[in-house]
Amino acid sequence: MKRFNITSDWIASKEDFKYYIFSDESTLQLEGNVDYITTTDKRDPRRLIGTAKFPRKIHVWGAISLYGPGPLVFLKRNETLKKENYSDILEEFLIPFIDTTMGRRRAIFQQDNARCHVSKYTMDKLTSWNVTVAPWAPASPDLSPIEYIWREMKVWIRREIKPTTTNELEEAIKEFWSTQLTQKMIKKYFVHTQNNIHLVHSALGGAIVDKWR
């Protein structure tokens, strides 16, 4: 119902997302992105090809808007995102981005409903900074353009860079964000998201077939 309601509101207001800042966290890893299950025979060692028990990972937080790429923040190894350090990220990186682009009076900040995002501590901080927070529906990656940016990043890194160490992976992430993530690419996924709004609404908030590429 929340997916239907939020898309109804956007359609009614003819939302163009001109002042939206979409944010999210993503995890990129060197091993174990694909599980190749080649047989149902448990004795066949090929069943384990492509898996990794402890894959090497990098966790990032990022934000985008129609103005272009926003901040990209690398989380510390094994760092758990909690309300305090999440709010620190917003204060240090999001607020300056808003102030140098669209200004706090016009900006609308989108985040999903993760506990650290919607905690009273975080929401009080955002209120004190005069940042408007958009309502969000759970399980709605098809309504957030930054989700498609993460996918583009992972595909590009896997095809073009093929990193073998976490240092190489981190450098690849930085390269994508600074050279590949253009305003044109961002606009493409904002338009894609706007198309999805109508599909989700037509499905009464249900799941849709999302041909993202």
Side-chain angles (χ1 to χ4, degrees), residues 28-34 50-57 164 166:
L28 295 90
Q29 61 189 45
L30 289 172
E31 309 95 348
N33 283 315
V34 179
T51 64
K53 189 173 183 180
F54 301 107
R56 290 170 290 174
K57 301 177 181 179
T164 58
T166 51

Side-chain angles (χ1 to χ4, degrees), residues 176-189:
F176 176 88
W177 205 262
S178 62
T179 67
Q180 303 300 310
L181 182 55
T182 62
Q183 196 167 9
K184 181 179 179 180
M185 179 189 291
I186 292 172
K187 183 177 180 180
K188 178 179 77 171
Y189 287 123

Side-chain angles (χ1 to χ4, degrees), residues 25-176:
E25 297 87 43
S26 186
T27 299
L28 295 90
Q29 61 189 45
L30 289 172
E31 309 95 348
N33 283 315
V34 179
D35 293 337
Y36 297 98
I37 306 301
T38 60
T39 175
T40 57
D41 185 351
K42 292 183 179 181
R43 295 168 295 180
D44 191 332
R46 290 178 298 169
R47 293 178 67 254
L48 302 180
I49 293 175
T51 64
K53 189 173 183 180
F54 301 107
R56 290 170 290 174
K57 301 177 181 179
I58 289 181
H59 305 282
V60 294
W61 174 89
I64 59 170
S65 77
L66 283 172
Y67 287 83
L72 179 71
V73 180
F74 289 82
L75 305 183
K76 297 176 183 177
R77 184 178 180 183
N78 299 322
E79 180 181 11
T80 300
L81 205 57
K82 297 182 179 180
K83 58 188 179 182
E84 293 85 3
N85 53 346
Y86 177 65
S87 296
D88 288 343
I89 288 172
L90 299 184
E91 183 172 20
E92 184 175 355
F93 297 98
L94 175 70
I95 298 303
F97 176 67
I98 291 175
D99 289 343
T100 56
T101 53
M102 60 195 74
R104 299 189 206 184
R105 287 201 318 167
R106 295 186 295 182
I108 301 173
F109 177 55
Q110 179 276 326
Q111 57 180 1
D112 64 26
N113 295 328
R115 183 176 299 178
C116 65
H117 295 175
V118 298
S119 70
K120 184 177 184 303
Y121 180 91
T122 301
M123 297 303 290
D124 284 349
K125 287 281 189 180
L126 287 162
T127 298
S128 71
W129 299 326
N130 297 315
V131 173
T132 300
V133 180
W136 195 245
S140 296
D142 49 6
L143 298 178
S144 177
I146 197 170
E147 295 285 355
Y148 301 97
I149 299 302
W150 295 139
R151 294 190 204 179
E152 283 278 4
M153 174 187 286
K154 292 174 182 179
V155 169
W156 182 80
I157 290 174
R158 184 172 67 247
R159 290 179 178 174
E160 304 296 331
I161 306 300
K162 301 179 179 67
T164 58
T165 67
T166 51
N167 285 339
E168 290 177 354
L169 178 57
E170 181 172 332
E171 291 304 311
I173 295 169
K174 292 177 182 177
E175 182 178 351
F176 176 88

